[in-house]
Amino acid sequence: MAPLLEVRNLKTQFKSKDGVVKAVDDVSFHIDKGETLGVVGESGSGKSVTAMSILRLVQNPGKVVGGEILFEGRDLLKLEDRDMRKVRGKEIAMIFQDPMTSLNPVLTVGRQLSEPLITHLGLTKTQALKESVDLLKMVGIPNAAERVRSYPHHFSGGMRQRVMIAMSLACRPKLIIADEPTTALDVTIQAQILELLEKLQAETGTAVMLITHALGVVAGMADRINVMYAGHIVETATADELFANPRHPYTMGLLKSIPRLDEARRGRLEPIKGSPPDLLDLPKGCPFVSRCEYALPQAETIRPELRQVPAEADGGRSEHWIACHSEVKMGDPPVHEAQEVA
Amino acid sequence: MSENNLNGSRGRKPGEKSKPSIDINRQATAVMDDLAPSADPNVLLSVRNLQQHFPINQGIIFQRQVGAVRAVDGISFDVRKGETLGLVGESGCGKSTTGRTILHLSRPTGGKIYFEGKDITGIRGQELKRVRRNMTMIFQDPYASLNPRLTVQNIVAEPMVIHGMGTAKERYEKVQELLELVGLSRHYGTRYPHEFSGGQRQRVGIARALAASPSFIVADEPVSALDVSIQAQVVNLMEDLQSRLNLTYLFVAHDLSVVRHISDRVAVMYLGKIVELADRDVIYTTPAHPYTRALLSAVPIPDPRAEKQRKRIILAGDVPSPINPPPACRFHTRCPLAQQICREEAPEFRDIGGGHFSACHFAEDVASGKLSMV
Ligand SMILES: Nc1ncnc2c1ncn2[C@@H]1O[C@H](COP(=O)(O)OP(=O)(O)OP(=O)(O)O)[C@@H](O)[C@H]1O
Ligand SMILES: Nc1ncnc2c1ncn2[C@@H]1O[C@H](COP(=O)(O)OP(=O)(O)O)[C@@H](O)[C@H]1O
Ligand code: SF4
Ligand SMILES: [Mg+2]
Ligand SMILES: [Mg+2]
């Protein structure tokens, strides 16, 4: 079965006076119908730019400079603007971290929910308003029939995010791209929103691309996960596999550096040394090389390509890929130590 | 109030991480609602019935007060010498206000603050300046909290200048030492904040906080704005400094995993009140307040298998406004266990044993699991 979305060799760059920022550099991945793909990585790793590229919302001075974005087989990068607008409203929806950036403060929530229903689905105003009430009910807004007449600022952060979700669902999209949908929310509200997303996804069969820097969130929600670092996908596997058998030193480093709520203190945390690289001044080889405990000499000069490694969590049925020259597992001693021993 | 009702593990050496120890001989019903400080010499800071109400004024010409934001509404706790007390809760529950009020960045509208046994509530002038040298703050936002026009040298030296410490040369030396102490290169002193990454800026903020050699530090979400890979660096740094310099921390955060890691004891706030306080592992393994239970269950765990087995307690609705908090138990509007009594009577913040405080009518049954929430 062909995937719902297939991104091939995507390159998106920002030109600045200091040089070219390769925000997304040769990224390929796919999303199947109905599945949840988690995208994790630290700030600046290219998660949002990937999302914006798919929707063709990258603003100047940014530009998609290469690759294909196949949605149900059609390359979105080749569509006329008019057709792309249809895809955006109807087939692919977006939920942002801050709902206020995408809600119009001077229009009632009902107006904003109705509009895509009228333009994309051809409903009448009355039908659209009725559908809007149903959507608000579906996302758990109490007194939906009255609340359609409210303005966004009358809602709390969590409720606005529910409204955003209602809006994204309005035209029954095949894919929802959710960029840090719960990052601005408190944990108890985050739990409400994640539960809602899961429930709605089960009901509607929509695929979700869930972007977050919180490993806990993707652990509970995602079927598969892409780990991004400095504009690259450095590891991709099913969620079970990635957490049970991480194979990229960056992923391992992330998992080691975070304390777990369900674990008693296990001594000092093990941070990743250094900080993320400057995208204007990336090393020639592996972008992680300067922070890596396992770097081999060739990592300085040769950029590692994604390569498949054996998956273990499900008896090898799923696919597991890493972009790394080294062959290491969680708990292996750092390379320089091993050399000293040898 | 009995003298030792706040101390689950006493006589701990500075810098040593306390283990939960339950003292069964202790009076099990102590309440922390009077205004006297702790008599325990191991206590550095006592807060008693602290209140911070911000007035809401209306009218353009004739301003009159029409209400108040009850940001902190009567909280009591002790911080022991050399420990880290974690303060957690959702945004707006009053964590930062608590920290700022303790540091006298705003005047409390009620209650008492004792530092090293002395009442420091409402002190001014020279007296306040002396106390301020001993307690400082590390802020959440490493971008906003450093003056962009000053060099790192001047930023870090500022508290010493304010407190008239040392000669210019001595201050220069001290800054160099501090930079090294927080893991920055000595020659970073000539640079400006914008030249640094978030993690490095937070190190500068920590160096600054340490400049006047304080004994007590309020760290207000010190790692929340940092990337996960950098958070661990700063947490480790704070722990190292604590044992080297014998510091006491009030560690304010909303990330319960980080708080479990760094704290000796943890206080949970909800809508201006502390609802639970206990030794770290006690609060995470046997929480005695329904809100703590819900909060813990909502934190995602980075392990898909663990996640699949967990049962979330999803609280209904939003946190009510601190302008009009619900009467009696503040949590009753969202509490899955609420009974009639919860709407009529405010639960006392009481010790249910071993220095484990909870403000719930059914604390014991919540802790034992007799009252289930899922
Ligand atoms: N408008 C822009 N102009 C210049 N550079 C940009 C612009 N937008 C993004 N970038 C750069 O592209 C890179 C990737 O940014 P992106 O927003 O995708 O990061 P992200 O992974 O979403 O991070 P976060 O977790 O902080 O949201 C960064 O280096 C960023 O500085
Ligand atoms: N200076 C102020 N004036 C009025 N209200 C304030 C002020 N500072 C804080 N508040 C209010 O007090 C409550 C607690 O705030 P805060 O202590 O910042 O919470 P937290 O740090 O737990 O997120 C919030 O409702 C906040 O809006
Ligand atoms: S006192 Fe009642 S409402 Fe308050 S937390 Fe306990 S059970 Fe819930
Ligand atoms: Mg982003
Ligand atoms: Mg705060």
Side-chain angles (χ1 to χ4, degrees), chain A residues 19 76 105 122 128 152-153 181 185-186 194 212 238 245 253 274 296 313 316 339:
Chain A
L76 298 184
H153 64 265
L185 306 173
D186 280 314
L194 293 180
T212 173
T238 61
N245 181 32
L296 298 172
Q339 277 167 350

Side-chain angles (χ1 to χ4, degrees), chain B residues 95-97 140 220-221 252:
Chain B
K95 305 181 296 294
S96 298
T97 304
Q140 165 170 5
D220 191 1
E221 313 252 9
V252 176

Side-chain angles (χ1 to χ4, degrees), chain A residues 79-251:
Chain A
L79 289 189
E80 297 286 330
D81 284 351
R82 200 174 36 122
D83 296 328
M84 189 60 213
R85 267 198 298 276
K86 271 191 208 144
V87 171
R88 257 193 313 256
K90 194 164 176 302
E91 325 236 5
I92 307 180
M94 179 109 188
I95 303 171
F96 296 93
Q97 170 171 348
D98 177 7
M100 273 323 252
T101 56
S102 32
L103 291 173
N104 187 332
V106 298
L107 295 182
T108 64
V109 160
R111 262 295 283 288
Q112 297 185 62
L113 280 165
S114 297
E115 207 184 272
L117 296 169
I118 296 167
T119 49
H120 293 302
L121 300 186
L123 300 192
T124 65
K125 244 174 131 174
T126 341
Q127 286 168 329
L129 197 66
K130 191 176 160 293
E131 176 73 19
S132 302
V133 174
D134 288 344
L135 283 164
L136 288 182
K137 274 191 199 146
M138 190 155 98
V139 298
I141 302 266
N143 306 329
E146 290 154 39
R147 296 315 292 260
V148 281
R149 283 191 294 269
S150 307
Y151 292 88
H153 64 265
H154 293 146
F155 292 87
S156 68
M159 280 164 81
R160 273 183 218 141
Q161 203 53 291
R162 285 170 188 267
V163 172
M164 267 306 294
I165 293 174
M167 268 173 91
S168 75
L169 290 169
C171 297
R172 308 274 158 180
K174 297 180 178 118
L175 173 64
I176 295 177
I177 300 178
D179 191 356
E180 310 265 6
T182 58
T183 305
L185 306 173
D186 280 314
V187 277
T188 63
I189 310 297
Q190 165 169 290
Q192 294 174 355
I193 298 290
L194 293 180
E195 191 198 35
L196 171 68
L197 260 178
E198 251 179 340
K199 184 183 121 222
L200 295 174
Q201 196 181 6
E203 282 168 20
T204 60
T206 306
V208 175
M209 177 171 164
L210 179 65
I211 298 174
T212 173
H213 63 271
L215 287 162
V217 170
V218 285
M221 297 284 292
D223 300 306
R224 285 186 307 119
I225 295 172
N226 289 346
V227 181
M228 289 192 76
Y229 189 80
H232 300 265
I233 292 175
V234 293
E235 180 156 14
T236 177
T238 61
D240 288 345
E241 169 72 10
L242 190 89
F243 284 91
N245 181 32
R247 296 295 306 277
H248 194 286
Y250 174 63
T251 315

Side-chain angles (χ1 to χ4, degrees), chain B residues 85-301:
Chain B
L85 178 69
L87 184 60
V88 299
E90 298 179 272
S91 67
C93 69
K95 305 181 296 294
S96 298
T97 304
T98 301
R100 295 174 54 82
T101 307
I102 290 171
L103 294 188
H104 285 67
L105 296 171
S106 57
R107 252 159 210 289
T109 52
K112 292 277 180 204
I113 305 164
Y114 302 90
F115 189 69
E116 292 175 328
K118 285 194 288 285
D119 184 356
I120 60 164
T121 328
I123 53 168
R124 296 164 191 270
Q126 282 306 312
E127 238 186 328
L128 176 59
K129 214 169 149 184
R130 240 190 337 268
V131 168
R132 278 243 175 97
R133 225 182 111 166
N134 277 317
M135 27 206 259
T136 57
M137 189 138 174
I138 300 171
F139 296 91
Q140 165 170 5
D141 189 348
Y143 300 88
S145 59
L146 305 176
N147 186 336
R149 281 181 299 272
L150 294 184
T151 61
V152 164
Q153 169 73 37
N154 286 331
I155 289 172
V156 177
E158 200 177 20
M160 293 188 271
V161 175
I162 292 172
H163 293 293
M165 298 164 71
T167 63
K169 182 154 181 299
E170 282 163 355
R171 288 197 296 264
Y172 175 80
E173 300 282 326
K174 173 94 191 212
V175 171
Q176 299 278 301
E177 268 171 44
L178 285 165
L179 289 178
E180 200 154 89
L181 189 68
V182 299
L184 293 172
S185 160
R186 281 177 173 246
H187 53 255
Y188 282 178
T190 54
R191 301 203 190 163
Y192 291 88
H194 71 262
E195 297 176 58
F196 294 100
S197 70
Q200 288 172 322
R201 270 182 260 215
Q202 199 52 291
R203 287 173 194 268
V204 173
I206 292 172
R208 182 191 142 92
L210 295 174
S213 309
S215 52
F216 175 67
I217 293 180
V218 175
D220 191 1
E221 313 252 9
V223 300
S224 306
L226 304 175
D227 268 318
V228 273
S229 79
I230 309 297
Q231 283 188 5
Q233 294 176 4
V234 174
V235 166
N236 282 353
L237 173 66
M238 286 189 62
E239 289 188 334
D240 292 346
L241 293 171
Q242 177 167 46
S243 52
R244 282 174 71 170
L245 306 174
N246 199 5
L247 300 170
T248 303
Y249 291 144
L250 179 67
F251 191 94
V252 176
H254 63 260
D255 183 332
L256 286 109
S257 309
V258 171
V259 167
R260 175 165 197 181
H261 174 83
I262 201 170
S263 309
D264 298 293
R265 294 185 305 143
V266 176
V268 180
M269 272 187 95
Y270 183 78
L271 212 53
K273 290 270 195 199
I274 292 184
V275 295
E276 185 164 8
L277 175 94
D279 278 335
R280 167 200 35 215
D281 287 328
V282 172
I283 222 160
Y284 284 83
T285 53
T286 43
H289 196 283
Y291 178 63
T292 313
R293 289 232 144 187
L295 200 58
L296 291 173
S297 89
V299 177
I301 289 175

